[in-house]
Amino acid sequence: MASPADSETWMTLVVQPNDTNPLGTLHGGRLMYWMDECSAIAATKHSRAVVVTVSVDGVSFKHAIELGSVVTIRARVTRTFRTSMEVFVEVWSEHIPRNLRMKCNEAYYTFVALDEAKRPLPVPDLLPTTAEEQRLYDGALRRRQVRLILAGKMKAEDANELKALFLPENNTAEP
Amino acid sequence: MASPADSETWMTLVVQPNDTNPLGTLHGGRLMYWMDECSAIAATKHSRAVVVTVSVDGVSFKHAIELGSVVTIRARVTRTFRTSMEVFVEVWSEHIPRNLRMKCNEAYYTFVALDEAKRPLPVPDLLPTTAEEQRLYDGALRRRQVRLILAGKMKAEDANELKALFLPENNTAEP
Amino acid sequence: MASPADSETWMTLVVQPNDTNPLGTLHGGRLMYWMDECSAIAATKHSRAVVVTVSVDGVSFKHAIELGSVVTIRARVTRTFRTSMEVFVEVWSEHIPRNLRMKCNEAYYTFVALDEAKRPLPVPDLLPTTAEEQRLYDGALRRRQVRLILAGKMKAEDANELKALFLPENNTAEP
Amino acid sequence: MASPADSETWMTLVVQPNDTNPLGTLHGGRLMYWMDECSAIAATKHSRAVVVTVSVDGVSFKHAIELGSVVTIRARVTRTFRTSMEVFVEVWSEHIPRNLRMKCNEAYYTFVALDEAKRPLPVPDLLPTTAEEQRLYDGALRRRQVRLILAGKMKAEDANELKALFLPENNTAEP
Amino acid sequence: MASPADSETWMTLVVQPNDTNPLGTLHGGRLMYWMDECSAIAATKHSRAVVVTVSVDGVSFKHAIELGSVVTIRARVTRTFRTSMEVFVEVWSEHIPRNLRMKCNEAYYTFVALDEAKRPLPVPDLLPTTAEEQRLYDGALRRRQVRLILAGKMKAEDANELKALFLPENNTAEP
Amino acid sequence: MASPADSETWMTLVVQPNDTNPLGTLHGGRLMYWMDECSAIAATKHSRAVVVTVSVDGVSFKHAIELGSVVTIRARVTRTFRTSMEVFVEVWSEHIPRNLRMKCNEAYYTFVALDEAKRPLPVPDLLPTTAEEQRLYDGALRRRQVRLILAGKMKAEDANELKALFLPENNTAEP
């Protein structure tokens, strides 16, 4: 059974003038385009199938990324649900000559695998092997319940994992 | 005081070959780029300031959009929080000659307004005037608590609006 | 019968560094690309058919548009001729934080509607309903005669509407 | 004194998938972008100054240009008016392996030359030397009058060259 | 029999902000893209067939090219080898208002012609007619031997033309 | 002292319709653009300075890369010469659903490091540690002599390493 490391995908790019916004830093929409591409490759590696994006959550812009920076993107599958896969994407920027490097962005992308007739295709299970992989695996269920509740597709009372976060005995749990 | 309608922004585009993925439909990353641009204009209209994206949530891809489709994007501010604004973006695709039109995507973008020194700038309050605007306004607080909890910046026990969703007497509430 | 308002199409964009010329303002060719796309959507709405550009006239650049400006484009059909449609396109630029807005460009695009075999297709008639729509409707005939004469496809003596402009009793007419 | 040949500029390109519309042929807006660039180089050569586009007329699309075609664009200054220059642009497409070549497009672009403070700059006169150059030179005056009349900046009765086209004794003149 | 002049292809472009690197000069990768396109047209003209790039050598960047410069690219076939053609590409940049012009780049591209089933197709011979064409023609054989030796497809001892460069009696030869 | 592994840079991309040529496979010029970017990052990592491309050699296209393929690019510094660095770039394409992977391209890029005044800057030495790194290190000297001879900057008789390839006792050496 494949682990998250088997789908890990790295992308490295330089921020060109073409990629900037009027403030002269990396355009947020351009970064989301790259993150989509990098995470789609990770999902393709895990499923060995064509995949399409079904949702994106938790995209969080921490720092602006300057023109000329080297952008490194890492994506890996965190959990699978029958025909869908959640992928965690992280982004760092580096200004190599100035020796600066920082975490700039992260997000969760969800993909569905498709067969040749473009119908959803069951995907292989995933086996987390490190503590961080296990933490991401556990969190994926809660994030999925949030998505379903906010989209009106699940009742709050049925979201057991999420509900547990709000019970007195659980409020020390890591989200 | 401005209403959501005052920041409403419409964008209309045609899906060109340049915008497609290898399946021949609109590239998801390209759509997120356009949604970012449309919602940034809405946030700029409300704040009359330069804005930067700080988070994106609930991006939900419902249907693939075909080559040659007309894509219509609508963005409007749903709620403000001191220096930040949540913007709700909706996307429809239309194949005019075949007379087909459907909702394809929606998402919540959050922006921060910046002053000339690029420091966060307080933004004007927003006054919802229709029932739909009020529903989006109320939901914005719950979505914000989800973002803060999932990002580890808020304790679940302090997320009163969200917690209420999980209490027995509230489980009929609309998420 | 459809009016010009039925085909009205709005496009809103931000001038990114990617769209500028070496002077740092919006590239004229890029603007014409956007105007072509916006007016083609208007012509598609009116004809409910695939359309192709056949001519462009009266493109008039009044002001340079700066990096970071919001560009608003409006297109609507002004008159139809059996299988072709004239579309009037207007462009405004807005620097929202500085609260500046001005008319920057306008042009007339002509499209032909095509059937599935890519042969010209008759298009529905158009009914102008406001005074401005009527003025654009009347001018369309004169603009068409200018196009045909300058292209050598019509003799000056047969261009009655245009010729009337040069007769003594008509020289007070609005062009 | 410079002749039109001195400003002649050739551009050769291949229509890539990136340049096509949903019908699979060259996007009309993309072609106008290239024509703008080619004619701006011709105007720069004549004026030895930075130039900006002020108007475009008579863009006439005669044939669709297929994917993979070689596009050849020729631009040359036809006439100058104090600070402005009219440039005639012609476009041919060639499918070399199939040995097909045809005229696909032509247009008139008008540019103004700018000094370093971005103020209009007088441009050198132009000396037509061939019969075709002379014909383009003469026509430039009539095209200019059409532009000014249609833009409401000239009265029809003052457009002597244009008016002459409509007088009985002149109706055999080439437009 | 065709001469190098018959395949000569000129491309003229302006360096837009979109084409620059973070230093504000023309991106080297973008220039190689244009050189590839220009030389592919030259190879297509000579072979009257679809061509694909098989190798590139001797790309030599002599000067950075500034934003706003006019770039002129010239390509022509220098020699043919059964199904392949070597094309010599030269690049000049010009800052017309400042009246500066210089050679900036040159390279050798090799293409193979393909038939409709995408199999290599024999190409017509080439007849050099000027001294410079003859020099390029002769050098093509030595450059080909270098490529084959460095790629491990030819033994150094079999590269007669190249070997001759290293023999005492030949060391005055022009490379 | 840094080894080639310290500068190793990986780039992963998907071939989108936007990146293809009229044959529907990856455009050669686009691939060279990506290779340039990937190798420039490797050279930046080694030199901790801004770098510019000075030459490219041995670009060898072995297989066409299909639409939808995942392209993996690896670049690492092979040898340094005072202010310049040679970088070896390799390209693989993978069609993950069909489980196909192959080497498609390789090339040698040479960069110069620049100080803040854009003058060449001495770069740190490189220490090859594996047999493959040593082989690339040794070959770099011969490739450099070829470049200098073909560019007319070195006499063949002074290219000792290269000359040795053509002497009887050396003709078994790996090029």
Side-chain angles (χ1 to χ4, degrees), chain E residues 137-157:
Chain E
Y137 183 91
D138 294 341
L141 194 56
R142 286 194 291 273
R143 288 186 293 273
R144 184 165 195 252
Q145 290 174 352
V146 167
R147 277 195 285 273
L148 293 172
I149 291 174
L150 292 180
K153 292 180 182 165
M154 184 186 238
K155 289 190 182 159
E157 68 207 77

Side-chain angles (χ1 to χ4, degrees), chain D residues 9-16 18 33 37 40-41 44-45 48-50 70 94-99, chain E residues 9-16 18 33 37 40-41 44-45 48-50 70 94-99:
Chain D
T9 304
W10 290 89
M11 195 180 269
T12 318
L13 294 131
V14 176
V15 179
Q16 304 290 346
N18 189 4
Y33 182 102
E37 195 155 306
I41 298 173
T44 303
K45 283 184 184 168
R48 299 263 147 205
V50 167
V70 171
E94 213 173 344
H95 199 294
I96 295 175
R98 291 195 214 139
N99 208 7
Chain E
T9 302
W10 289 89
M11 195 180 269
T12 317
L13 294 131
V14 176
V15 179
Q16 305 289 347
N18 188 4
Y33 182 101
E37 195 155 305
I41 297 173
T44 303
K45 283 184 184 168
R48 299 264 148 202
V50 167
V70 171
E94 213 172 342
H95 199 294
I96 295 175
R98 291 196 214 138
N99 208 6

Side-chain angles (χ1 to χ4, degrees), chain D residues 38-60:
Chain D
C38 189
S39 54
I41 298 173
T44 303
K45 283 184 184 168
H46 182 77
S47 61
R48 299 263 147 205
V50 167
V51 301
V52 292
T53 316
V54 291
S55 66
V56 185
D57 282 281
V59 186
S60 147

Side-chain angles (χ1 to χ4, degrees), chain D residues 12-95:
Chain D
T12 318
L13 294 131
V14 176
V15 179
Q16 304 290 346
N18 189 4
D19 303 317
T20 58
N21 59 31
L23 297 172
T25 56
L26 176 58
H27 191 292
R30 182 64 57 113
L31 179 54
M32 280 188 283
Y33 182 102
W34 291 341
M35 291 165 78
D36 182 71
E37 195 155 306
C38 189
S39 54
I41 298 173
T44 303
K45 283 184 184 168
H46 182 77
S47 61
R48 299 263 147 205
V50 167
V51 301
V52 292
T53 316
V54 291
S55 66
V56 185
D57 282 281
V59 186
S60 147
F61 293 85
K62 297 172 203 303
H63 298 286
I65 303 182
E66 290 190 19
L67 176 65
S69 300
V70 171
V71 173
T72 305
I73 304 176
R74 174 168 71 155
R76 50 200 157 135
V77 175
T78 56
R79 185 162 187 160
T80 62
F81 301 93
R82 226 182 59 82
T83 63
S84 73
M85 295 157 275
E86 191 199 64
V87 176
F88 180 49
V89 199
E90 295 164 281
V91 179
W92 294 267
S93 93
E94 213 173 344
H95 199 294

Side-chain angles (χ1 to χ4, degrees), chain A residues 9-14 16 33 37 41 44-45 48-50 70 94 96-97 99, chain F residues 9-14 16 33 37 41 44-45 48-50 70 94 96-97 99:
Chain A
T9 303
W10 290 89
M11 196 180 269
T12 317
L13 294 132
V14 176
Q16 305 290 346
Y33 182 101
E37 195 155 305
I41 298 174
T44 303
K45 281 185 185 168
R48 299 264 148 205
V50 167
V70 171
E94 213 173 343
I96 295 175
N99 208 5
Chain F
T9 302
W10 289 88
M11 195 180 268
T12 317
L13 294 133
V14 175
Q16 304 290 345
Y33 182 100
E37 194 155 307
I41 298 173
T44 303
K45 282 184 184 169
R48 299 263 147 206
V50 167
V70 171
E94 213 173 343
I96 296 175
N99 208 8

Side-chain angles (χ1 to χ4, degrees), chain F residues 145-171:
Chain F
Q145 291 175 351
V146 167
R147 277 193 286 272
L148 293 172
I149 291 176
L150 292 180
K153 292 180 182 164
M154 183 186 240
K155 288 188 184 160
E157 67 207 78
D158 296 335
N160 294 321
E161 282 68 19
L162 201 62
K163 209 162 61 179
L165 281 184
F166 297 96
L167 298 183
E169 65 273 26
N170 281 287
N171 59 20

